Amino acid sequence: MATVLVHISLLAYVAGAAAFLTWLVRPSKRWVRAGRILLFAGLLLHAASFVAPADANLAAIGLGAEGWKGGQLFSLLAAATVLGYLLLDWKYDLPVAGAFVAPFTVAVMVPAHLVKSTARAVSPQLYHSVALFLHVGAAALGTAALALAFGLSLLYLVSERQVKSKRPGRIFARLPSLDLIDKAGYQLSVWGFVFLSVAIATGSLASRESTGTTLPFAPKQGFAILAWALFAALIQARLVAGWRGRRVALLVITGFVLLAGAYVGLLTAPALHGTVALGGIAP
Amino acid sequence: MTFLCVGLSHREAPIAVRERLAVPAEALPAEVRRLKALPGVREALIISTCNRIEIFAVADGRSAGEEILSALGPVAAPHAVCRFDEEAARHLFRVAASLDSMVVGEAQILGQVKEAAALAQEAGTLGPELSRALARALSAAKRVRTETEIARGAVSVSSIAVQLAHKLLGSLEGRSVLLLGAGEMAQLAARELKSHGASELLIANRSAARAEELAREIAGVPVSLAELPSLLERADVAICSTGASQFMVTRELMQRALKARRYRPIFLVDLAVPRNVEPTANELEGVYVYDMDDLERAAAQNRDLRQSHVGKAEGIVEEELRAYLLQSHERRAVPVLARLRAHAEAVARAEVEKTLASMHGLDERHQKSLRAMASAIVNKLMHQPTSRLRAEAGQGPLGEATAALFGLDEPGPQPMPLPDPAPDPAPQPLPEPTPEGAVLPFKPFKRKS
C-alpha cells in the first residue's frame, strides 16, 4: 500500500515539476495553480504513505521499525522539501522557486527508490532508538530547508546577474525581488542550521548507542560537520558584519554541496558496517 | 437604429484643441444629458480624457452624428471623426483595450471608460444597447490584459526606475530616497517612489534655497551636498540629476559607504548628462547603477514587447467584436421570431383545445400526450425557419418576408412562448428585447469612490 502511494505521489511530483517548468516558458497563472495543486496532492499521498501499513518494499517509518532504510530518508527529505516549499510559496508567493523545488523533489525520490533495492538495515541496537528517530527527522528537515536555501541562492545569482548586466532576460519579469530572495534564503539557512545541529547531536548519540563511538571518522560525518561549520560562520557573518546578497548566496551553495557530500558518503558507505550504523542517519 | 461614435483623439487633434473640448467629470452628467436630448439620439456616453473626447451614441439614424458634431462646436468640427455601426463598435472596443492609446497598453483608459459608463448610467443616458456594447468591450479589454503582454513592463523612464527599485529592494515601505539635484525627471521618479511607500526623501542641491523649496513641494527633507558620503550610507535609492561636469558619486566613495551600509544594496539612478555616477561603481557588490541609456533601453524593450503583442490583442478584440455584433444582429431578428412562435403556438393551442373539447372522457395522460404532440409539431415546423432567421440576423429579406407571409405585422396577443425547438443540441433562449429604461442584464457600472 505504502509503495503504491509513494509511486502515485512521485507521479504527482513529476507532473507538478512539468507544470512549473512549463510556466517558465509560458507565463500563465494556470500552470502555477496546477503545479501547486499537484505538489500539494503529492504531499498528501506521500504523507499517507508514511502512516500506511508497511509492505515488503517500504517499511513504515517510526519507532520500532524493523529497519531504517536509506530510501526512507530520501523519501522523508522529498516530503519535507515539498512541505517547506509550499509554506514558503504561501508566505512569499514564489512560483519561480517551484520550478526548482519540484524537479529537485523528483531527483531526491529517485534515490529513495534505488536505495530500497539494497535494503540495508540498521544495527539491531538501534531498532527502538529515539535518538535515531530524531536524527533522521532533523536531517530530513534540515536538508530540505538547506535545499530550498540552495535553490533560492541560485535564483539570487541569476537574478542579480540580470540586474547588473542590465539585460533582463525573458524570465526576469517573473523573478521576485532580490531582497525577498535574500531574506527568504537566509531564514531557510538559519532553520537548516538549527536542524542540522540537532541531526548531528542526535546522530552522535545514536552512534554511541550502537557502537560506543560518539563521532566516528567517515566521509558522511566529515562533510556534515564541514557544512555545519560553514553555515555557522555564515550566520555569524550576517549578524555581525551584515553580509548578504551575492557572497551569502555563494556560501549557501558551497554549504549545500558539502551537505550533499554527506549524502554521497551515506550512499557509498558499506552496508551494515559498524561506522554506517554509527553514523546515525540511515544505513 | 445606428450605433455611432463622434470624437477625436491625440491622433486627430493637437492638445490645444483637446484641452478646449475636454469635459470635466463634474460637468459630464449635464453634458451627456444634453447630447441625449438631441433629435434622434436614444443613448449617449462621453469618454473624456486628456488624450481624447469621444461620444458614443445609439440613434435612430446616421443624421444624429451630424447633430452631435454640431453640438460639439466649431472647434471640434475640423478634427472630429464620425464612425458608424461596426466601425463605431470596433473603436469602442479598441479604446477600452488601450489599443488606441498614445502609450499602447496603458492601464488608465480601462478605468476611465468604466468611470464614463458609471457617469452616463447615473445621468440616465445609458440604454440597453450601449450597456451591452460597453460590457462586451470591457470584457474584451480584460482578456487583452490577461492574455497578452501588452500591459507588461513600464515604458517611461521614471516608472522603469521605480520598477527596478522594486525588483532590487522589494517593498519600498520605509525606504530612504536621496535626490541629488532637482531635475524634472528626477522629481517625477522621486514622487513615484514616494507614492510607492518610500518614507524619506532627502533632497540635496547645489543651491540650498532650491533644495528647501523642492523639499516643501514634495514633502522631503533638505540636506547639504557636503554630507554626501553619509547620505550614501543612509539612502536605499539615489536619483542623480545635477549639472556637475564630473562624477559626484565615485566608485571609491561608494566603496567606503558600502561597509558602513553593512552591504545593504543601493540603487543609483543616474539621470544626468554628463553622468553623475562613475559607471564602474556598478561592479561593486550590492551597488546597482542605471544611467539614462540603460533606462531608455529598458523602456524601449518594453515598448517593443508591447508592440509585438498588439497583433494578438487586435485578434482578441476582433473576436469579441464579432461575438458582440452577432448577438446584436440576433437580437434584431428576435421580434419577428417571437411573433412567429407566438402565432404558431396560439394556432396549435387553439386546435388542441378544440379537439379536446370534442373528445370527451380522455384521461389526463392522453390529454398531455396530445398537447405534447402539438407542441412537437410546432417545434419541428419552426426549427428550420428559426435557424434561418437567426442566421440572417435581421439583415436579410427573410424577416420581412416572414412577417408578410404570416401576417405578423400587427403584434397580437402574446401567449406563453413554447420552449426552444428540441433539435438544437443546447437550446439557448434568445434574450428578449429590453425596453429602454428597463433593468439591464448587466452589473451596474461602478464609479470609483
Side-chain angles (χ1 to χ4, degrees):
Chain A
M1 182 64 189
T3 314
V4 175
L5 285 172
V6 169
H7 281 147
I8 301 174
S9 68
L10 180 57
L11 284 179
Y13 293 152
V14 170
F20 277 113
L21 292 173
T22 310
W23 172 75
L24 283 185
V25 191
R26 299 188 75 86
S28 163
K29 277 279 172 195
R30 271 179 306 183
W31 293 114
V32 174
R33 220 174 302 136
R36 283 172 181 155
I37 291 170
L38 284 164
L39 284 192
F40 186 66
L43 182 65
L44 287 181
L45 291 168
H46 204 159
S49 81
F50 292 140
V51 289
D55 57 28
N57 291 323
L58 274 171
I61 66 155
L63 282 173
E66 273 296 296
W68 283 97
K69 297 189 175 66
Q72 287 170 332
L73 171 68
F74 283 100
S75 183
L76 197 61
L77 173 59
T81 311
V82 174
L83 176 68
Y85 165 69
L86 288 174
L87 289 173
L88 196 70
D89 190 37
W90 177 60
K91 191 171 175 193
Y92 296 116
D93 187 22
L94 275 175
V96 73
F100 163 79
V101 171
F104 172 82
T105 308
V106 174
V108 168
M109 289 289 275
V110 172
H113 284 253
L114 291 180
V115 177
K116 81 169 173 8
S117 60
T118 62
R120 294 173 300 174
V122 286
S123 37
Q125 299 98 307
L126 291 172
Y127 277 5
H128 298 281
S129 166
V130 176
L132 181 63
F133 177 67
L134 290 176
H135 170 71
V136 176
L141 287 172
T143 311
L146 294 176
L148 288 170
F150 168 76
L152 288 177
S153 298
L154 288 178
L155 199 63
Y156 185 93
L157 293 182
V158 171
S159 196
E160 203 230 13
R161 196 188 161 87
Q162 295 208 349
V163 179
K164 280 268 187 200
S165 69
K166 300 165 187 182
R167 298 206 185 283
R170 270 185 67 86
I171 193 183
F172 187 67
R174 272 159 277 159
L175 293 176
S177 74
L178 285 179
D179 184 68
L180 174 68
I181 309 176
D182 181 58
K183 276 187 187 145
Y186 175 66
Q187 276 177 13
L188 284 165
S189 302
V190 172
W191 281 107
F193 173 74
V194 170
F195 283 120
L196 196 57
S197 307
V198 174
I200 289 174
T202 48
S204 130
L205 278 179
S207 160
R208 206 164 62 174
E209 276 174 32
S210 63
T211 62
T213 319
T214 308
L215 193 63
F217 185 77
K220 190 190 86 179
Q221 285 76 3
F223 278 118
I225 295 286
L226 276 177
W228 180 86
L230 191 131
F231 280 107
L234 181 155
I235 292 168
Q236 169 83 356
R238 174 93 169 200
L239 291 175
V240 177
W243 281 26
R244 66 184 73 222
R246 193 181 158 75
R247 59 177 72 192
V248 168
L250 288 170
L251 281 176
V252 171
I253 290 171
T254 315
F256 186 73
V257 169
L258 287 174
L259 191 63
Y263 280 83
V264 174
L266 163 71
L267 288 174
T268 52
L272 267 180
H273 187 271
T275 52
V276 180
L278 284 171
I281 292 186
Chain B
M1 194 181 64
T2 305
F3 188 80
L4 60 91
C5 166
V6 180
L8 50 85
S9 69
H10 56 92
R11 293 180 200 284
E12 291 93 25
I15 188 155
V17 173
R18 298 200 307 270
E19 65 193 4
R20 288 179 65 185
L21 292 168
V23 186
E26 58 275 13
L28 260 178
E31 185 64 16
V32 76
R33 270 191 222 109
R34 185 175 75 89
L35 290 172
K36 199 199 162 208
L38 292 173
V41 178
R42 292 189 191 183
E43 303 175 29
L45 164 83
I46 300 178
I47 298 174
S48 174
T49 72
C50 50
N51 281 328
R52 68 183 66 246
I53 173 151
E54 315 259 15
I55 290 138
F56 291 91
V58 176
D60 292 336
R62 293 193 168 199
S63 58
E66 281 165 31
E67 297 281 348
I68 292 173
L69 191 56
S70 57
L72 275 179
V75 179
H79 307 280
V81 178
C82 290
R83 296 176 175 88
F84 296 100
D85 298 317
E86 188 176 327
E87 267 316 299
R90 180 175 287 113
H91 189 58
L92 174 64
F93 279 53
R94 292 189 75 249
V95 167
S98 190
L99 286 170
D100 197 56
S101 298
M102 195 180 257
V103 178
V104 170
E106 51 103 357
Q108 290 96 322
I109 187 67
L110 189 57
Q112 287 162 335
V113 172
K114 281 184 189 165
E115 180 83 3
L119 277 167
Q121 198 164 43
E122 271 175 35
T125 63
L126 215 57
E129 200 55 49
L130 259 182
S131 295
R132 281 195 201 96
L134 272 166
R136 196 82 201 204
L138 292 176
S139 88
K142 223 179 226 173
R143 270 192 67 198
V144 164
R145 297 189 78 75
T146 50
E147 292 176 28
T148 73
E149 301 203 10
I150 196 165
R152 185 165 282 197
V155 286
S156 74
V157 164
S158 62
S159 42
I160 290 271
V162 172
Q163 210 173 53
L164 277 167
H166 273 298
K167 206 67 171 174
L168 291 171
L169 308 169
S171 163
L172 297 179
E173 296 285 333
R175 301 285 185 180
S176 171
V177 178
L178 170 65
L179 219 58
L180 283 179
E184 286 253 334
M185 211 179 284
Q187 284 181 43
L188 202 67
R191 282 199 174 100
E192 217 165 313
L193 285 168
K194 186 137 196 197
S195 74
H196 279 80
S199 62
E200 189 179 49
L201 275 186
L202 306 168
I203 300 161
N205 198 30
R206 214 168 281 277
S207 143
R210 176 75 188 112
E212 274 174 29
E213 187 191 327
L214 188 60
R216 268 195 304 278
E217 259 176 52
I218 57 176
V221 181
V223 286
S224 160
L225 258 186
E227 297 169 43
L228 188 57
S230 68
L231 292 172
L232 286 175
E233 289 168 14
R234 188 165 152 190
D236 297 298
V237 181
I239 304 169
C240 313
S241 63
T242 74
S245 54
Q246 55 202 22
F247 298 135
M248 288 188 69
V249 181
T250 58
R251 182 191 168 109
E252 198 196 336
L253 190 64
M254 217 42 250
Q255 199 150 23
R256 277 206 301 271
L258 263 187
K259 214 163 192 180
R261 298 176 60 82
R262 291 168 55 89
Y263 304 96
R264 264 187 312 119
I266 184 168
F267 181 31
L268 297 169
V269 186
D270 191 355
L271 300 175
V273 181
R275 286 178 290 182
N276 287 171
V277 184
E278 190 172 349
T280 53
N282 189 51
E283 291 162 11
L284 296 172
E285 197 181 323
V287 180
Y288 304 91
V289 183
Y290 271 70
D291 63 29
M292 203 60 187
D293 268 8
D294 302 327
L295 295 170
E296 269 295 353
R297 202 178 307 122
Q301 243 175 26
N302 286 346
R303 277 196 291 269
D304 288 350
L305 179 75
R306 285 183 176 202
Q307 212 55 43
S308 69
H309 282 82
V310 163
K312 193 177 172 193
E314 294 277 13
I316 291 172
V317 162
E318 209 53 34
E319 197 181 298
E320 292 283 328
L321 179 69
R322 289 281 139 231
Y324 161 73
L325 290 173
L326 187 69
Q327 278 180 3
S328 176
H329 287 157
E330 276 188 5
R331 268 194 305 278
R332 284 179 199 173
V334 161
V336 169
L337 257 180
R339 291 207 294 275
L340 181 61
R341 265 172 190 282
H343 172 71
E345 198 209 355
V347 171
R349 186 180 292 172
E351 289 308 310
V352 166
E353 293 309 319
K354 212 158 74 182
T355 309
L356 283 177
S358 65
M359 294 172 74
H360 300 290
L362 217 58
D363 65 18
E364 203 168 310
R365 198 166 60 85
H366 285 106
Q367 287 186 20
K368 212 170 162 186
S369 300
L370 201 64
R371 287 199 177 94
M373 186 189 73
S375 172
I377 292 173
V378 169
N379 276 346
K380 286 258 157 70
L381 279 174
M382 288 290 292
H383 175 62
Q384 202 67 313
T386 304
S387 335
R388 291 270 164 88
L389 280 167
R390 276 188 181 171
E392 188 191 84
Q395 298 293 294
L398 289 181
E400 279 178 25
T402 308
L405 207 55
F406 289 89
L408 298 172
D409 292 334
E410 293 295 315
Q414 299 280 312
M416 288 293 288
L418 286 171
D420 257 14
D424 269 359
Q428 291 195 342
L430 283 170
E432 288 295 315
T434 319
E436 233 172 295
V439 178
L440 299 175
F442 306 109
K443 282 191 287 183
F445 296 102
K446 282 188 194 140
R447 286 184 65 189
K448 271 192 218 156
S449 51

